Amino acid sequence: MGDCWVLLKMPAVRYQSGEMVMGRWPGSSLYYEVKVLGFDAESSLYTVIYKDGTELELKEPDIKPASGFQTRPRSRSRSPGRRRSRSRSPARTTRRTSSRTAAAIITDAAVPSHRDTRLKDSLEVRLSPLKQTKAAVNNGNNKHAKKEENNTASNKGEATAEAGPDKGQCRYNLRRRKDDADAKPAAAKPEQLVEEDAKPAAAPGAPTTTPLDFGGKIGAFFWLLFLPSWVFFLVLQVNQEDPSLTNSPPLLPPPGAFWDAQAFGLVVLWIVFQAVLYTLPVGKLSEGMPLRSGERLKYRTNGFFAISVSALAIAAAAHQGVDITYIHSHFLQLTAAAFLVSVLLSVYLYVRSQYAASEQLALGGSSGNLLYDFFKGHELNPRIREFDLKFFCEMRPGLIGWCLINFAMALAEMKQQGLDAPSYSMLLVNLFQLLYVVDGLWNEEAILTTMDLMHDGFGFMLAFGDLVWVPFTYTLQAYYLVRHPVPLSPPAAAAIIALKLVGFYIFRKSNSEKNAFRRNPSDPKLSHLQSIPTATGKSLLVSGWWGVVRHPNYLGDLLMALAWSLPCGFSHLLPWYYMIYFVILLVHRDARDMSECRRKYGSVWDEYCRTVPYRIIPGVY
């Protein structure tokens, strides 16, 4: 009756400010009690607040009136039919989330037809009040610190917190019925909450968009023009006798100078060669992180095999007399060819995304604006059968091509400078960056937990970055050294090597901690790590390297970037481009993380920021 009265009074707004309703947590089938704060008529979104302080904007289909959920006393006896409903069929799924004071697990257990045929296949959850406490910090095995009174348990990265009832304000603990047999009777009778006429594991509707970044729609248009222009400017500038950035930009060569059919053919051949290596049944078949639908995609992680075969193929080609320095002499044409391939790939990706199911779309690339979605990527994981286009481009042609180009620059330096071996500066740049790439391919599985793979759609931003930006701007230091050799003394070389090793250790150690914790925080090897549980079911690391700064992997990356730039000396700013760019990139990524995590984790994120105050550099930033 209450809902009907609202509809009669205000047809355009079904739920009024201050009304308590049940709101679906984005990306799941879980419903929590929320309070309506307001309604935006322009976007048709309701602003609601959850009991842990998290504010979200929900569409009307994601909100249900409280009257749509009925409670009934839970029978202490179990019929044989109910006991049989504990078994899990392959089609059944379980979702679990937790917060400082609440955890929810929802199952689609079958309800015996002799009890209530109407409720068959409906969602059944048990509601028990929880005592509200301060955010608790727990370790990898989900045992609280001694000062905490409550216990938590974890399964595959999703914690469950339980506490006794509180006479005051309560949270809710939603647990599977199969766990009820092991639970001790509570002082107050628990209740069972059944959502009427609900379907289990219903597929989400149209994807919810996230706040626009990179300057929004206008910013996307700017970046689409600026990024290719900047790359071609760098390539033309580094080829000057005096590549100082204070000089006037070089004159544009005639349009014909950008195109070379052989260069285009070599780029396509290189990508096809890497694609063949990727599809070979060699190496581990790894599972990605769960998608919004609960599905976990499989990836062929044989990157180390691919770079090993590529190295042998290049060595064989050089032995047969193939001129590898062609890469140096036709660097501009190769850049243009790679750019053309990235544009064609981006157009294909956007067109195919128009036919993808809603759950396959990236939240960050579903703004409805053509240019923005083309830039950010509309589809999250575009695949041709089992061939994952985003994962392949992220790890193969650009990264391995980076090493190939560096090798060609070393040969070009020897040829132009009349050397019998590359200079110390060239050797350090080649070896440092080769180590970085080989390490990434050896630990290829770790990239499955990164922002690019988990959240960003595959569009122009990543396609251009993977195929053009990485191989043709990250190699500028080696390209610079071909015509501008920088002598290094043994002590200077040793100091630079030490800096590189320190940065590499921090980078690898922190990334290994993060990857292991995301995959299985209950691993005994991670028992020393402390974490803060959140309402999403994930936990935030606050110890180890992740207790020093919020992004220790960024810190290691910056130290390595510094070690790559030092061999080029201080005569020109251009070879320091990578260092400058990386600082801007990581600061921007940190800002994106801050905005996204504050929206996602609510007040828990503020607690985390107080626990780990520094972002990237301890004591500085």
Side-chain angles (χ1 to χ4, degrees), residues 292-338:
R292 295 196 307 275
S293 62
E295 182 185 6
R296 298 173 72 108
L297 300 177
K298 294 185 181 297
Y299 300 85
R300 178 68 65 182
T301 49
N302 59 0
F304 185 76
F305 163 78
I307 194 173
S308 300
V309 174
S310 300
L312 292 175
I314 294 167
H319 185 265
Q320 292 298 318
V322 175
D323 184 14
I324 307 297
T325 61
Y326 173 91
I327 295 175
H328 174 263
S329 59
H330 291 77
F331 198 63
L332 176 63
Q333 292 77 18
L334 291 168
T335 305

Side-chain angles (χ1 to χ4, degrees), residues 84 185 192 334 371 379 394:
R84 284 193 299 269
Q192 188 175 37
L334 291 168
L371 282 180
E379 189 175 356
E394 190 88 4

Side-chain angles (χ1 to χ4, degrees), residues 78-89 92 108-115 177-178:
R78 293 181 180 271
S79 66
R82 179 171 290 271
R83 285 195 295 269
R84 284 193 299 269
S85 69
R86 294 186 192 174
S87 61
R88 182 182 298 179
S89 66
R92 291 177 56 188
D108 48 337
V111 180
S113 58
H114 68 274
R115 288 182 64 107
R177 294 185 307 169
K178 67 176 288 185

Side-chain angles (χ1 to χ4, degrees), residues 436-448:
Y436 184 83
V437 173
V438 169
D439 172 73
L441 294 173
W442 179 264
N443 298 280
E444 191 175 19
E445 194 176 37
I447 199 176
L448 301 179

Side-chain angles (χ1 to χ4, degrees), residues 12 17 34 46 50 140 147 211 250 255 287 368 396 407 451 474 485 564 611:
S17 298
V34 298
Y46 288 88
Y50 292 77
K147 64 180 180 180
E287 277 193 340
R396 303 306 171 83
F407 176 64
M451 179 187 295
Y474 288 12
W564 299 353
T611 306

Side-chain angles (χ1 to χ4, degrees), residues 553-567:
N553 52 339
Y554 292 0
L555 174 61
D557 247 337
L558 287 175
L559 292 177
M560 288 192 290
L562 179 60
W564 299 353
S565 303
L566 287 172

Side-chain angles (χ1 to χ4, degrees), residues 6 196 458 497 518:
V6 172
E196 294 180 336
F458 192 32
I497 292 173
R518 281 183 174 177

